Amino acid sequence: MAKYDYLIVGAGLFGCVFACEAKKAGKKCLVIDKRPHIGGNIYTENKDGINIHVYGAHIFHTSNQKVWDYVNQYVTFNNFVNSPIARYKDELYNLPFNMNTFSKMWGIVTPEEAQAKIAEQIAELNIGEPKNLEEQGLKLVGRDVFEKLVKGYTEKQWGKPCSELPAFIIKRLPVRFVYDNNYFNDRYQGIAEGGYTTLAEKLLEGTEVKLNCDYFEFKKQNPDIAAKTVYTGMIDEYFGYCYGELEYRSLKFETERLKKENYQGNAVVNYTERQVPYTRIIEHKHFEKAQSPVTYITREYPATWKKGDEPYYPVNNEKNDALYARYKALADKEGNVIFGGRLGQYKYYDMDKVIAAALDCVQNELN
């Protein structure tokens, strides 16, 4: 007899939500994670009264009322609005591209002037069907915006020149002809007060959790521990990379404690120049307006993924999507394993989307 109804592999958002809902339905779950903490990439830890986003900035935003009501059962969200700044050399611009950006860049004041300037630059380039990301970006926003605010940042993020990246990566770039620095269009937005780890703790309340636990080792020693497995790790690793490795982009974080109250005056500053090795600096205290005589900043460096590194972003191009389809066909034949989350489904998920996917998955499973 299996000891648990579900073995849930990964204590990230997908695993936490699945465990919470399964427990409510009277199911017995065991959650395991190879990391020494719960919460996956949303994990926060408090230092000097400041909640540090250990794996990069996580700003909750959604237009899905059901998901918003769901998370608010467990934590309170503040009214943080994401208004990042882009720094190119010593020039500062507002993001997303809006009238504040264009006014600073060209000294113009009206939407009509901004539209005319962008249209004029696009016409001068005379690009037909874009053959790569560089041409696509230039055709969308013109030379000035692309070269100062898109090109260097994108090349750092993907580790390749824009001229070698496929055009479809940026089918559109958000351009607003209004004076509005709110990055997201979603109705609801904020940061979990007290840090996201609290959300993970509330979701896993009353559920058995085992940390520093490698699934493959654990499964060898406990083959029949659960009737079903919910697997949120890398789908290619689950199948022993039998068709080859899927590609991911990784990140490296460098966090520093500074003996000053305020380092950059904003939660997120993007560094768009190619020569600067990091893509952004996060100053954590601004997410929750934390009062502290010190501050913590994190520089974020994109990195090529290799086995053993943390996989952050699936590289969803034609080649990888075709490879994932082969793994998905294998996954569909695994009768007692559910594959979920960003790595299990090889798909980038925002927080609200992963919660919605987990709620749909557990509902289908329990019905």
Side-chain angles (χ1 to χ4, degrees):
M1 284 287 288
K3 191 179 171 189
Y4 299 94
D5 296 300
Y6 295 100
L7 170 65
I8 298 168
V9 183
L13 264 180
F14 192 99
C16 287
V17 170
F18 193 102
C20 181
E21 294 306 298
K23 182 181 174 289
K24 283 182 197 169
K27 303 296 181 186
K28 196 174 181 197
C29 302
L30 171 64
V31 177
I32 66 170
D33 201 292
K34 65 181 180 184
R35 287 173 171 172
H37 60 74
I38 61 169
N41 290 344
I42 66 164
Y43 173 67
T44 50
E45 58 184 37
N46 193 286
K47 291 180 179 177
D48 295 303
I50 299 164
N51 288 308
I52 312 295
H53 295 222
V54 175
Y55 302 98
H58 282 82
I59 298 143
F60 195 89
H61 58 99
T62 189
S63 293
N64 185 328
Q65 181 81 49
K66 180 184 166 188
V67 168
W68 182 244
D69 291 344
Y70 184 80
V71 290
N72 275 274
Q73 295 174 89
Y74 303 103
V75 285
T76 306
F77 284 80
N78 68 12
N79 61 352
F80 177 83
V81 170
N82 189 28
S83 306
I85 299 288
R87 179 170 176 172
Y88 175 78
K89 298 185 176 174
D90 286 328
E91 300 168 23
L92 297 176
Y93 296 98
N94 291 104
L95 294 175
F97 313 137
N98 69 72
M99 285 304 297
N100 289 311
T101 320
F102 308 138
S103 176
K104 175 82 184 280
M105 194 169 279
W106 299 313
I108 52 95
V109 293
T110 68
E112 196 175 4
E113 287 174 299
Q115 285 166 321
K117 188 79 179 166
I118 291 170
E120 177 194 325
Q121 291 194 358
I122 291 169
E124 281 170 5
L125 293 161
N126 200 25
I127 295 166
E129 185 61 36
K131 294 187 284 296
N132 54 51
L133 188 149
E134 179 140 345
E135 291 187 357
Q136 178 72 69
L138 288 165
K139 194 168 182 176
L140 287 168
V141 290
R143 189 176 298 284
D144 291 349
V145 175
F146 179 77
E147 292 195 345
K148 286 188 175 186
L149 303 182
V150 181
K151 184 180 168 81
Y153 189 91
T154 306
E155 291 185 344
K156 287 189 282 191
Q157 195 79 329
W158 292 94
K160 288 180 181 176
C162 286
S163 55
E164 290 177 21
L165 289 164
F168 75 79
I169 291 175
I170 51 167
K171 285 180 182 157
R172 60 185 196 84
L173 283 167
V175 177
R176 298 180 189 161
F177 295 100
V178 290
Y179 289 90
D180 179 10
N181 299 326
N182 183 353
Y183 196 81
F184 300 119
N185 288 316
D186 289 309
R187 182 172 178 186
Y188 307 108
Q189 178 177 176
I191 303 284
E193 289 182 352
Y196 290 105
T197 302
T198 308
L199 173 60
E201 285 167 351
K202 294 276 180 69
L203 289 166
L204 292 177
E205 223 164 67
T207 296
E208 205 177 322
V209 178
K210 196 173 169 59
L211 300 173
N212 295 304
C213 180
D214 177 79
Y215 166 70
F216 300 101
E217 287 302 314
F218 184 77
K219 190 70 177 163
K220 262 185 229 167
Q221 292 160 22
N222 305 275
D224 304 312
I225 197 160
K228 274 195 160 180
T229 297
V230 177
Y231 182 81
T232 69
M234 295 159 60
I235 191 169
D236 51 347
E237 184 180 26
Y238 180 89
F239 291 108
Y241 305 102
C242 63
Y243 295 137
E245 292 173 19
L246 288 161
E247 277 183 278
Y248 302 88
R249 289 292 287 163
S250 193
L251 293 169
K252 295 202 167 32
F253 301 102
E254 190 183 83
T255 298
E256 194 180 346
R257 180 185 189 267
L258 301 173
K259 290 180 180 175
K260 55 172 71 177
E261 275 194 44
N262 187 1
Y263 172 73
Q264 62 186 18
N266 204 50
V268 182
V269 176
N270 288 1
Y271 284 74
T272 61
E273 204 184 340
R274 183 71 183 89
Q275 286 69 22
V276 177
Y278 41 87
T279 47
R280 58 183 179 174
I281 295 180
I282 297 154
E283 188 169 8
H284 302 270
K285 74 188 316 178
H286 297 302
F287 289 125
E288 297 182 67
K289 296 182 180 164
Q291 300 302 306
S292 176
V294 300
T295 192
Y296 284 82
I297 62 166
T298 299
R299 293 178 182 86
E300 201 169 293
Y301 297 83
T304 303
W305 177 86
K306 58 188 185 308
K307 267 191 206 175
D309 293 343
E310 200 58 50
Y312 285 93
Y313 303 107
V315 181
N316 290 112
N317 57 23
E318 220 172 289
K319 177 187 137 197
N320 285 306
D321 288 348
L323 183 54
Y324 167 68
R326 296 178 73 192
Y327 281 120
K328 172 79 166 65
L330 288 182
D332 291 343
K333 291 176 191 161
E334 295 275 300
N336 62 346
V337 183
I338 297 162
F339 291 82
R342 183 173 43 95
L343 304 178
Q345 295 177 309
Y346 198 67
K347 177 181 181 180
Y348 182 76
Y349 274 117
D350 282 326
M351 283 188 282
D352 65 322
K353 304 292 191 300
V354 85
I355 289 167
L359 288 171
D360 286 347
C361 177
V362 74
Q363 195 175 5
N364 291 339
E365 174 64 18
L366 297 173
N367 290 343

